[in-house]
């Protein structure tokens, strides 16, 4: 996803509420976390993704900021 500013990232994420996404997040020191979930809500500086836990049949909410997407610390791809 190539974006120029935070406002455009916010618009794209807001347009895909309810969509299933794969998220690759950089955790530092060459650690990359890959999760899949559904974009549930957006706020002025963050958005929420509901991630299902396969083992316990529960789910958790994970928040990401639009600036992390802009700086490529978090990469979103639609499924």
């Amino acid at each position: 996803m190539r974006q120029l500013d935070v406002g455009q990232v916010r618009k794209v994420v807001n347009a895909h509420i309810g969509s299933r996404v794969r998220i690759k997040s950089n955790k530092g020191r060459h650690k990359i976390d890959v999760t899949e979930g559904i974009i549930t809500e957006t706020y002025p500086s963050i958005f929420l993704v509901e991630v299902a836990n396969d083992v316990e049949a529960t789910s958790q909410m994970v928040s990401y900021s639009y600036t992390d997407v802009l700086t490529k610390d978090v990469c979103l791809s639609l499924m």
Side-chain angles (χ1 to χ4, degrees):
M1 179 183 318
R2 183 178 167 265
Q3 300 297 324
L4 300 176
D5 65 357
V6 176
Q8 290 178 340
V9 173
R10 188 178 303 125
K11 286 180 186 177
V12 170
V13 172
N14 198 19
H16 290 96
I17 290 177
S19 298
R20 189 156 183 81
V21 292
R22 177 175 290 135
I23 301 169
K24 293 182 183 179
S25 56
N26 184 359
K27 297 293 184 182
R29 294 199 177 245
H30 306 291
K31 296 176 191 167
I32 296 178
D33 184 31
V34 178
T35 57
E36 294 179 4
I38 298 172
I39 300 172
T40 57
E41 296 181 58
T42 59
Y43 294 99
S45 59
I46 63 168
F47 60 96
L48 299 178
V49 177
E50 183 176 6
V51 178
N53 186 355
D54 295 333
V55 177
E56 298 177 11
T58 60
S59 63
Q60 66 180 3
M61 299 299 267
V62 182
S63 66
Y64 298 99
S65 69
Y66 302 113
T67 56
D68 287 340
V69 176
L70 190 62
T71 60
K72 298 182 182 172
D73 285 337
V74 173
C75 295
L76 297 173
S77 56
L78 294 173
M79 298 179 64

